């Protein structure tokens, strides 16, 4: 059986929806341009770049999630600790969509569990990450490790890894048939 492209899958699910540009009111009297939205607020279609390569935050993602039943996201790249800003935005987006019970359809470079690179105990250079106790740490001094990483950075890396795992789980759930059957009215 031939695997469907993202566009073919989208068309199979939503048929000939007439997607148009619309302005979405977001927090702080700002307006977010949604390039492809169904005017009956069923679906909005975005690229990863439109959502995560720009300075959007939780309030923007919340406005999107509260305005549409389903969100389509194309071209989700591999995410790594190097590009933590994009990764954090994407995780925030997924959290907001999940909390609002949105259905999700997406195209990505990998399955959700493999989308986040550096999800083990190594840094982006494949160096083992460990925390050494040194004098000064107990005083709140952020002591550099042998590889030049500070303890504070290591804590942030660990938090991001946990968020990666949570996001992967949520993506899988929001894309599942059972989620779509419970959450979406087509």
């Amino acid at each position: 059986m031939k695997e469907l492209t993202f566009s073919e899958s989208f068309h199979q699910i939503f048929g000939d929806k007439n997607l148009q540009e619309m302005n979405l009111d977001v927090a702080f009297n700002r307006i977010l341009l949604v390039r492809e939205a169904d005017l009956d607020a069923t679906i909005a279609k975005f690229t990863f770049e439109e959502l995560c390569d720009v300075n959007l935050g939780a309030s923007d993602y919340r406005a999107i999630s509260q305005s549409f039943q389903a969100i389509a996201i194309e071209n989700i790249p591999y995410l790594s600790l190097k590009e933590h800003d994009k990764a954090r935005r994407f995780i925030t987006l997924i959290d907001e969509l999940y909390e609002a019970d949105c259905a999700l359809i997406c195209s990505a470079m990998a399955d959700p569990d493999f989308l986040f690179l550096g999800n083990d105990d190594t840094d982006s250079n494949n160096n083992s990450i460990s925390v050494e106790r040194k004098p000064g740490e107990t005083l709140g001094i952020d002591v550099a490790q042998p590889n030049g990483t500070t303890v504070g950075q290591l804590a942030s890396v660990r938090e991001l890894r946990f968020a990666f795992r949570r996001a992967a789980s949520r993506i899988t759930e929001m894309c599942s048939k059972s989620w779509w059957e419970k959450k979406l009215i087509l």
Side-chain angles (χ1 to χ4, degrees), residues 41-86:
T42 302
I43 181 79
K45 190 175 174 185
F46 299 93
T47 64
F48 175 87
E49 293 80 19
E50 290 173 325
L51 293 171
C52 300
D53 274 354
V54 294
N55 288 325
L56 296 179
S59 61
D60 303 300
Y61 301 138
R62 190 171 305 117
I64 291 168
S65 68
Q66 291 173 349
S67 298
F68 301 98
Q69 292 178 1
I71 303 296
I73 306 172
E74 288 186 271
N75 304 323
I76 301 169
Y78 287 109
L79 299 166
S80 70
L81 299 172
K82 272 185 176 176
E83 298 174 318
H84 61 89
D85 289 344
K86 290 179 189 178

Side-chain angles (χ1 to χ4, degrees), residues 19-110:
L19 301 181
Q20 300 177 6
E21 273 190 9
M22 72 174 282
N23 289 322
L24 185 63
D25 293 326
V26 294
F28 309 110
N29 294 321
R30 293 179 305 115
I31 295 179
L32 177 68
L33 174 66
V34 180
R35 295 188 194 281
E36 295 184 79
D38 183 19
L39 297 182
D40 68 6
T42 302
I43 181 79
K45 190 175 174 185
F46 299 93
T47 64
F48 175 87
E49 293 80 19
E50 290 173 325
L51 293 171
C52 300
D53 274 354
V54 294
N55 288 325
L56 296 179
S59 61
D60 303 300
Y61 301 138
R62 190 171 305 117
I64 291 168
S65 68
Q66 291 173 349
S67 298
F68 301 98
Q69 292 178 1
I71 303 296
I73 306 172
E74 288 186 271
N75 304 323
I76 301 169
Y78 287 109
L79 299 166
S80 70
L81 299 172
K82 272 185 176 176
E83 298 174 318
H84 61 89
D85 289 344
K86 290 179 189 178
R88 287 183 192 277
R89 284 188 196 108
F90 184 66
I91 290 165
T92 301
L93 169 64
I94 294 302
D95 287 344
E96 290 296 335
L97 295 176
Y98 185 85
E99 294 301 322
D101 292 332
C102 289
L104 179 65
I105 180 174
C106 57
S107 68
M109 294 298 296

Side-chain angles (χ1 to χ4, degrees), residues 125-176:
N125 296 321
N126 213 25
N127 297 317
S128 178
I129 294 175
S130 62
V131 177
E132 288 183 27
R133 290 281 174 203
K134 292 186 176 184
E137 286 184 81
T138 56
L139 300 174
I141 300 170
D142 208 6
V143 178
Q145 300 300 299
N147 63 2
T149 305
T150 65
V151 174
Q153 288 171 320
L154 291 175
S156 180
V157 166
R158 288 193 177 103
E159 289 169 9
L160 195 54
R161 283 196 184 123
F162 172 77
F164 281 173
R165 287 190 295 273
R166 183 185 69 237
S169 173
R170 288 179 168 190
I171 292 167
T172 301
E173 187 174 1
M174 288 188 294
C175 290
S176 71

Side-chain angles (χ1 to χ4, degrees), residues 1-10 12 106-111:
M1 183 174 172
K2 178 188 165 222
E3 190 170 317
L4 298 176
T5 66
F6 182 79
S7 294
E8 291 169 336
S9 296
F10 185 88
Q12 186 177 43
C106 57
S107 68
M109 294 298 296
D111 288 336

